Amino acid sequence: MAAERAHRAICLIFLLLVAPVAAAEDGYDLWLRYKPVEEPWATRYRATLTQLVAPADSATLPAAATELDRGLRGLLGTAPDRADRVSRDGALVVGTPRSLPVLAELKLQLPAPGSQGYVIRSATVDGHSVLIVAAADDIGVLYGAFHLLRLMQTRQPLERLELREVPAIQLRMLNHWDNLDRSVERGYAGQSLWDWHKLPDYIDPRYIDYARANASLGINGTVLTNVNANAVSLRPQYLQKAAALAGALRPYGIRVFLTARFAAPMEIGGLRTADPADQAVRQWWEAKVAEIYRYIPDFGGLLVKANSEGQPGPQDYGRSHADGANMLAAALAPFGGVVMWRTFVYSNERPDDRAKQAYNEFVPLDGQFRDNVLLQVKNGAIDFQPREPFHPLFGAMPRTPLMMEVQITKEYLGFATHLAYLGPMYEEVLRADTYRRGEGSTVAKVIDGSLHGYRRTGIAGVANIGTDRNWSGSHFDQANWYAFGRLAWNPALSAENIAREWVGMTFGNAPTLVTRVVEMMMKSRQAVVDYMTPLGLHHLMAEGHHYGPQPWFGGGPRIDWTPVYFHRADARGIGFDRSASGSNAVAQYAAPVAARFGDLKRVPEDYLLWFHHVPWSYRMQSGRTLWDELVHRYTRGVDVVRDMRKEWEELAPLVDRERHDQVATFLRIQEHEALWWRDACIAYFQSISQRPIPPGLQPPEHPLDYYQALEFPYAPGH
Ligand code: BDP
């Protein structure tokens, strides 16, 4: 009895000791874990950071000081003493020239006010060697503070620093496809973070942690509501709630935006039309926007999905996208707000190649938009596929600022369970060369404004954030949020370096751990491409929810939502002919790109079936026939996942148990689903090609009708 009690007591003590540590490793802290730094770095850092001189006379500067305090306390055990002025070597001096006169005296060459840039540099103040984090504006100071913490989290030296950072893109946005009932369209990480029902009174502390995470990356805007918009979000009751969120996010430099449903004047305004040429409609929007600014004085603007997938828009009244966008832009202009008008449009009535429609619709409108309109263009012309060639609009609208939209959430890349690091995908599109002004006219230069001299620039990621304890549905999906933010700040960064940073901050800096996890991450997205849609295939996902393969599907409300429309497999071959002999979508690219994509011999094999219908017997670079290569690629994708599982198992001693277990389980799910994808696609395409499985490769586990009978009526995100 006594022994049992003693045992229980020991267990309890053990639990008390261990529980908080374990809880801290559930992923909630993201890359801001601030775990103790090991020697010799700890001693080195302590010598450089003996004192913290950081004023707190605005909303944002205290956020910087608090973050430094929290970060240094975690990393070094204690935070340096706070002081009003420098009195020792190793002081950390953090602020703006306005808030700290000593920074004005130093005549630092700070990035221009409004640029949101900062410097981190060593200097001498009153004979003391100090480290300075300074900016012209408060927000730059906060960004600099996070940068300094990142240096320490990734074990970089702090001596003799001379860093100067300015973001390349002005609007670095998250788009939440969140509904007012807290469901999230294409969300795989729980419910919407925004607890609309309890707002405006209850400010969930998670809003602040969300803001910190974003500010650590330099993300400076968030669209709270779904692009498939609900006019109710523009009612005063909801504006009040959005204002409360804006208040919580403001100290972290994050401005709030909303989506506008084009028919709102009718649905909540009682008007009989939403025609942008109608005076009453224009006045309604002017009044609505003025009202929004009464609630949210620094409101960012409106994101609009119009005449797209059934959403109302100006074309309902015979007006153009420019007419619609300009009406809203006119209402926002007096307050400094912008319109982000999406180009994701395609018409059911005109059955042209869907990949061509956005270009055809918008290029003729170049130069017709008001100067506070940005067009928001998806990375590719179809829809966030595992791999797409860059969207032909990039580079084709020199007089209209184009911003890019990518998906962070993995609607088409295995939801939350598949490990797919998207850094390489973002990097691929940013570095793609449009050739619009000769060689080197990369997509990055289009969206950072340097190619055409855009006055406004932006980039948006469809968020993968929800109420899941780990925010993103899986630990590795946090890396996609991270990579998006880092590339939004600086599109020239390498996906691999970003991964290295992230692993160091998220899992730890042991060199083997970093090297091996980064290796896994870097091959993960190509693996998904291989086991889902190799060689330029696209949109083979199941109808509606997009979970799993359904390459045989050809029904439903519209043909261009179906896999058979996209792969066009027949007895002769497979692929969508977008060359001159087909839909001629290639002609939408600049001549050198069109020539390359349009030529069967020169098109990169990764895009082969995107642009060409190719005979099954076609000889590939590997020497295999197309059919054999297809089976080979599907198999390769599964093999890589198997390798990742093994590698992750080997890393068990270097990763905390809780996170290791979840990742291991998800990798098992991924292997299972990758095999399902491979086998279902091969079984189906084989029924068309009538060719044998190449020697040495496994035939599908089940006959085709087994895969065709699978149904998932409650798959998430739909
Ligand atoms: C598609 C999604 C759909 C979105 C649409 C969009 O399946 O849920 O509404 O994109 O971007 O990928 O508007």
Side-chain angles (χ1 to χ4, degrees), residues 201-248:
D201 296 311
Y202 177 59
I203 299 297
D204 187 329
R206 279 193 89 148
Y207 304 150
I208 309 300
D209 288 329
Y210 164 88
R212 290 174 49 235
N214 282 319
S216 78
L217 305 171
I219 288 172
N220 64 1
T222 184
V223 183
L224 300 174
T225 47
N226 192 352
V227 286
N228 293 320
N230 183 341
V232 169
S233 63
L234 298 178
R235 285 202 168 132
Q237 183 193 11
Y238 277 88
L239 293 178
Q240 220 180 5
K241 296 168 189 278
L245 283 171

Side-chain angles (χ1 to χ4, degrees), residues 285-621:
W285 279 112
E286 278 163 24
K288 180 49 73 182
V289 166
E291 183 188 0
I292 298 176
Y293 278 91
R294 281 198 295 279
Y295 284 104
I296 310 172
D298 57 354
F299 180 66
L302 296 168
L303 170 64
V304 189
K305 171 175 177 176
N307 293 120
S308 162
E309 300 187 325
Q311 292 296 318
Q315 292 178 333
D316 302 350
Y317 310 95
R319 318 289 172 201
S320 73
H321 284 285
D323 297 330
N326 289 342
M327 168 185 65
L328 297 175
L332 285 155
F335 305 95
V338 299
V339 173
M340 292 168 294
W341 191 270
R342 296 175 90 230
T343 65
F344 180 65
V345 302
Y346 54 95
S347 142
N348 198 24
E349 292 73 45
R350 276 168 294 149
D352 199 359
D353 175 2
R354 179 171 149 187
K356 287 163 59 181
Q357 296 193 29
Y359 180 102
N360 288 343
E361 195 75 61
F362 282 93
V363 167
L365 300 176
D366 191 20
Q368 292 183 27
F369 292 91
R370 288 188 64 122
D371 75 352
N372 58 333
V373 177
L374 297 103
L375 296 185
Q376 184 163 309
V377 183
K378 289 190 181 184
N379 58 292
I382 296 295
D383 197 4
F384 299 136
Q385 294 303 294
R387 172 171 279 126
E388 296 196 29
F390 71 88
H391 201 299
L393 272 174
F394 291 119
M397 296 190 68
R399 291 185 295 156
T400 311
L402 303 184
M403 56 189 285
M404 181 161 73
E405 173 179 330
V406 297
Q407 234 178 18
I408 306 172
T409 190
K410 303 205 315 298
E411 174 182 358
Y412 296 101
L413 287 105
F415 295 4
T417 44
H418 294 212
L419 197 168
Y421 171 52
L422 301 182
M425 183 168 98
Y426 304 151
E427 183 184 84
E428 194 172 286
V429 61
L430 287 165
R431 293 187 183 178
D433 198 339
T434 71
Y435 278 87
R436 284 289 173 189
R437 299 218 158 151
E439 199 180 340
S441 307
T442 59
V443 171
K445 285 190 190 161
V446 174
I447 63 167
D448 75 13
S450 59
L451 194 69
H452 303 303
Y454 293 158
R455 254 188 1 100
R456 293 179 191 272
T457 55
I459 185 167
V462 181
N464 65 350
I465 300 162
T467 50
D468 273 12
R469 190 63 195 159
N470 65 23
W471 301 86
S472 299
S474 83
H475 298 295
F476 274 91
D477 280 329
Q478 297 177 355
N480 296 329
W481 176 6
Y482 185 87
F484 168 76
R486 297 287 287 129
L487 286 166
W489 180 276
N490 180 0
L493 293 177
S494 97
E496 184 168 349
N497 286 338
I498 293 172
R500 199 164 291 129
E501 254 173 41
W502 177 81
V503 175
M505 295 164 83
T506 304
F507 286 114
N509 289 285
T512 349
L513 179 72
V514 175
T515 313
R516 298 195 55 190
V517 176
V518 169
E519 260 169 40
M520 281 175 58
M521 291 169 75
M522 290 305 290
K523 64 187 175 191
S524 60
R525 177 270 189 147
Q526 180 62 43
V528 178
V529 171
D530 283 340
Y531 65 69
M532 288 189 184
T533 50
L535 296 171
L537 287 173
H538 45 293
H539 228 304
L540 306 184
M541 295 76 191
E543 200 253 330
H545 52 61
H546 300 154
Y547 173 64
Q550 209 179 24
W552 47 82
F553 184 71
R558 40 191 302 181
I559 182 66
D560 56 351
W561 281 355
T562 70
V564 297
Y565 169 85
F566 288 109
H567 65 65
R568 304 190 171 209
D570 55 26
R572 210 176 61 79
I574 181 171
F576 198 127
D577 186 0
R578 296 192 166 104
S579 73
S581 59
S583 79
N584 204 21
V586 290
Q588 294 183 337
Y589 290 100
V593 181
R596 202 155 57 90
F597 287 169
D599 181 348
L600 184 57
K601 291 273 167 289
R602 289 175 62 210
V603 65
E605 285 191 345
D606 281 337
Y607 300 137
L608 181 67
L609 306 179
W610 188 281
F611 288 115
H612 298 275
H613 191 77
V614 184
W616 296 111
S617 59
Y618 180 77
R619 228 9 100 187
M620 302 289 291
Q621 276 156 25

Side-chain angles (χ1 to χ4, degrees), residues 133-152:
V133 177
D137 300 315
D138 294 354
I139 187 60
V141 177
L142 180 63
Y143 292 158
F146 276 113
H147 188 151
L148 177 69
L149 290 166
R150 183 168 72 234
L151 293 174
M152 299 171 70

